[in-house]
Amino acid sequence: MKIFISSTYEDLKEYRRAVRDAILRLGHQPIGMEDFGSRPEEWNKAALDALNDCAALVGIYAHRYGTIPQGDTLSITEQEFDKARALGIPCFCYRVDPDYPWQKKFVDRGRAEKNLQRFLNKVDALLRSTFTTPDDLAKKVSADLGRELKPKLLTTLHSIPPPLPDFIGRAHEIEQLVTALTKPASHVGAIITGVAGMGGIGKTQLAYVVAHKIAAHYPDAHILVDCRGTSKSPPSPSELMRQVIQTFEPTADLRQATDAEIAALYCSLLNGKRALILLDNVADAAQVKPLLPPPGCALLITSRRYVTLPGLQPLRLDVLSPAEALALLQEICPRLAHASVAQARDEIARLCGYLPLALRIAASTLAAHPDLTPARYIERLRAQRLKVLKSPDDPEGNVEATLESSYQLLSADWQTRWRALAVFPASFDVSAAASVWNVDADTAFDTLSELVRLSLLDYRPFDSAQGKPPTADKNGGLPSVVGGRYYLHDLLRDLADARLSDTERDTAHL
């Protein structure tokens, strides 16, 4: 389960790290400010949204009140506490011992001190104990969480959730993955396969469907690990292995274990077992390569990045077919099945770019608002679809935020180049991109190829609009630069265009 760690930033870094390790040792997933953006405003929104999915909050408080975001009256730390209380989730609160020496620069004075005392009056009602050193705090958190959340640990060996009941389509992809993951017992080595694709394409839900279809093939464990590949600081391989180890051995004390010892224990625990491990939202190959399990086990990976590992043949997931998109819209919003709205239904699917996340948001919005006609909703989509494709009830139901998280992982230079691709209304080739970027063809190709690998760009070996394959050269071979075309998904183009300055747009059109 997810456990939220709330504290102020600089003064409690070492303490947060100790609590994070304690939570991992218990087999839970720690969530904290390091998982969010680089600016306080980003922490605040992301943190409050993340709390919706957390089972408990661990609050660590010393002598600072914390940052108050612009336009707010309460610190981020107090807002997190208040949100947890409003949600009714357990709060495990700890204060530093008043007599424990503390750096003066981390002690508030004046108005901030008064705010802190007012806030701590609320905290004291849920105070577990005081602490001194990071190790002292970790022991107390471990004891409290282990005692009060222990019953839920019994289910972590089978932690992959069921798929959505209205999951639609992907029959070919499901068959391909099931076949790959259920190879005969004579297969040598672990079975490894993966699903790659852009944000919102439905990788995780597809993985859930496949995992439950093959559950009987892996009776010992079905373990879900969130690799947080789109966060600024995704967990290390050792942190991920710790999570898996703790599902088998919840009381194992790994605090002093080296990375090599963690890896050895990971393989030892899985040896001889038939376990399926789903590594969801992988950052890159380096993050998961150490987690390749022993023979008899299987590793299923989802990632926005095309990951290359020994024995892995990843499936690149595309958008839904028009027929699947229409079926999903009708399943979620039955009134879209009426013949009278057939044309509008088709247009909604097109404006959603056949992206499962966008389709779900659109259909759910229309289902929740019977007074909103498809025609009026289409007008809103055409005017500002990234802003419209957002669920008020589900923080993960936000197309713009989902796509933005991929964009934010690019360096500043790469963001500039990717934004410039918004000037192309349709497909384009290497030479066109080189011209817009004012670089040579090789540099343009390398950049485009990496953007394809990151699922921020699509490539087709030839222009499907013309239906013509690459032309062979006079010696019968393909040209060194194949005549393929690159494409920005419509919603990605909207995102890039929205972030393109007027100067950049004018320059790109020259």
Side-chain angles (χ1 to χ4, degrees):
M1 63 186 70
K2 295 180 180 179
I3 310 295
F4 194 95
I5 305 171
S6 178
S7 78
T8 46
Y9 184 60
E10 286 287 345
D11 54 330
L12 289 165
K13 276 186 176 179
E14 294 300 318
Y15 291 83
R16 279 198 310 279
R17 185 177 296 114
V19 170
R20 188 182 191 92
D21 289 344
I23 291 171
L24 286 169
R25 288 195 297 273
L26 291 171
H28 300 306
Q29 179 184 339
I31 302 292
M33 62 179 64
E34 288 82 3
D35 301 316
F36 308 129
S38 58
R39 298 192 303 272
E41 292 76 11
E42 292 176 346
W43 297 348
N44 197 27
K45 181 181 184 306
L48 295 179
D49 287 345
L51 272 165
N52 293 315
D53 297 323
C54 289
L57 175 139
V58 174
I60 316 166
Y61 310 109
H63 299 290
R64 303 200 76 176
Y65 178 61
T67 302
I68 302 177
Q70 186 175 2
D72 288 346
T73 57
L74 301 179
S75 71
I76 295 173
T77 312
E78 185 168 3
Q79 289 184 50
E80 290 168 351
F81 177 85
D82 289 348
K83 175 70 178 287
R85 295 288 286 154
L87 291 172
I89 66 175
C91 293
F92 296 78
C93 298
Y94 305 86
R95 288 178 60 179
V96 70
D97 188 316
D99 297 325
Y100 189 71
W102 210 251
Q103 292 187 55
K104 290 184 178 180
K105 67 177 182 178
F106 292 140
V107 177
D108 281 340
R109 293 285 183 255
R111 183 175 180 180
E113 183 181 12
K114 292 180 180 179
N115 284 336
L116 175 64
Q117 292 307 316
R118 174 189 52 76
F119 171 43
L120 291 178
N121 288 336
K122 293 194 294 186
V123 168
D124 281 347
L126 299 172
L127 190 67
R128 298 288 172 145
S129 60
T130 59
F131 60 86
T132 54
T133 65
D135 187 59
D136 174 53
L137 174 61
K139 289 177 180 177
K140 291 174 177 176
V141 170
S142 182
D144 291 339
L145 293 182
R147 180 180 62 252
E148 300 187 33
L149 302 181
K150 187 175 180 180
K152 297 186 178 181
L153 289 173
L154 298 176
T155 64
T156 57
L157 281 176
H158 299 84
S159 59
I160 299 178
L164 294 171
D166 53 11
F167 184 89
I168 294 289
R170 307 295 197 194
H172 175 71
E173 292 88 346
I174 292 170
E175 180 183 4
Q176 183 176 338
L177 291 169
V178 168
T179 299
L181 290 164
T182 54
K183 292 179 180 178
S186 59
H187 176 77
V188 178
I191 298 173
I192 310 163
T193 191
V195 182
M198 66 182 284
I201 204 78
K203 301 179 294 295
T204 299
Q205 287 301 320
L206 174 61
Y208 291 170
V209 170
V210 172
H212 283 269
K213 283 185 175 293
I214 64 173
H217 206 76
Y218 298 95
D220 293 322
H222 318 127
I223 301 171
L224 171 64
V225 181
D226 183 1
C227 298
R228 305 200 305 278
T230 54
S231 71
K232 293 292 184 180
S233 54
S236 68
S238 288
E239 287 183 285
L240 299 179
M241 283 188 278
R242 284 173 185 265
Q243 291 185 47
V244 176
I245 291 169
Q246 298 289 352
T247 62
F248 290 99
E249 300 288 345
T251 60
D253 187 350
L254 306 176
R255 283 175 292 180
Q256 305 302 320
T258 64
D259 288 351
E261 291 169 338
I262 292 291
L265 182 55
Y266 172 82
C267 289
S268 177
L269 283 172
L270 290 174
N271 188 45
K273 292 184 173 64
R274 295 197 60 80
L276 170 66
I277 301 173
L278 170 54
L279 299 181
D280 189 37
N281 192 16
V282 162
D284 53 32
Q287 186 190 35
V288 297
K289 188 175 181 180
L291 280 88
L292 299 184
C297 297
L299 195 64
L300 176 56
I301 294 168
T302 74
S303 178
R304 298 191 188 185
R305 185 188 303 256
Y306 193 88
V307 174
T308 303
L309 290 170
L312 171 66
Q313 294 182 342
L315 169 71
R316 190 181 290 278
L317 202 60
D318 204 346
V319 295
L320 294 177
S321 69
E324 290 172 334
L326 296 179
L328 181 58
L329 288 174
Q330 294 170 186
E331 178 69 22
I332 298 173
C333 183
R335 66 182 169 119
L336 290 177
H338 295 168
S340 60
V341 296
Q343 187 173 353
R345 182 178 63 236
D346 292 349
E347 181 65 1
I348 290 171
R350 187 191 69 79
L351 288 169
C352 289
Y354 308 102
L355 187 73
L357 176 61
L359 292 164
R360 284 191 171 278
I361 294 170
S364 298
T365 299
L366 287 166
H369 299 276
D371 54 335
L372 177 60
T373 66
R376 179 172 294 177
Y377 189 63
I378 287 171
E379 289 178 3
R380 294 182 178 180
L381 285 174
R382 287 173 175 166
Q384 210 173 18
R385 59 180 162 181
L386 281 182
K387 300 300 181 185
V388 171
L389 290 171
K390 179 179 180 180
S391 169
D393 304 317
D394 180 5
E396 295 185 356
N398 186 328
V399 169
E400 183 173 22
T402 297
L403 302 181
E404 173 79 13
S405 61
S406 291
Y407 169 72
Q408 288 298 332
L409 293 179
L410 298 175
S411 67
D413 288 344
W414 281 58
Q415 286 181 352
T416 300
R417 290 188 184 182
W418 185 77
R419 289 196 302 267
L421 298 179
V423 302
F424 296 113
S427 66
F428 55 92
D429 60 14
V430 173
S431 61
S435 177
V436 166
W437 291 337
N438 193 28
V439 298
D440 59 67
D442 285 341
T443 300
F445 172 78
D446 290 344
T447 304
L448 292 170
S449 186
E450 182 63 12
L451 290 172
V452 170
R453 193 172 77 89
L454 296 174
S455 299
L456 282 168
L457 195 61
D458 190 22
Y459 172 78
R460 297 173 195 171
F462 59 91
D463 192 340
S464 60
Q466 299 178 9
K468 297 178 181 179
T471 304
D473 61 22
K474 62 182 180 180
N475 295 318
L478 291 179
S480 57
V481 178
V482 177
R485 309 285 293 182
Y486 294 90
Y487 299 77
L488 268 178
H489 185 277
D490 288 349
L491 294 170
L492 283 172
R493 182 181 292 106
D494 284 359
L495 184 78
D497 185 70
R499 282 143 186 77
L500 199 63
S501 68
D502 290 340
T503 301
E504 288 176 324
R505 186 175 285 106
D506 291 342
T507 302
H509 278 294
L510 290 178

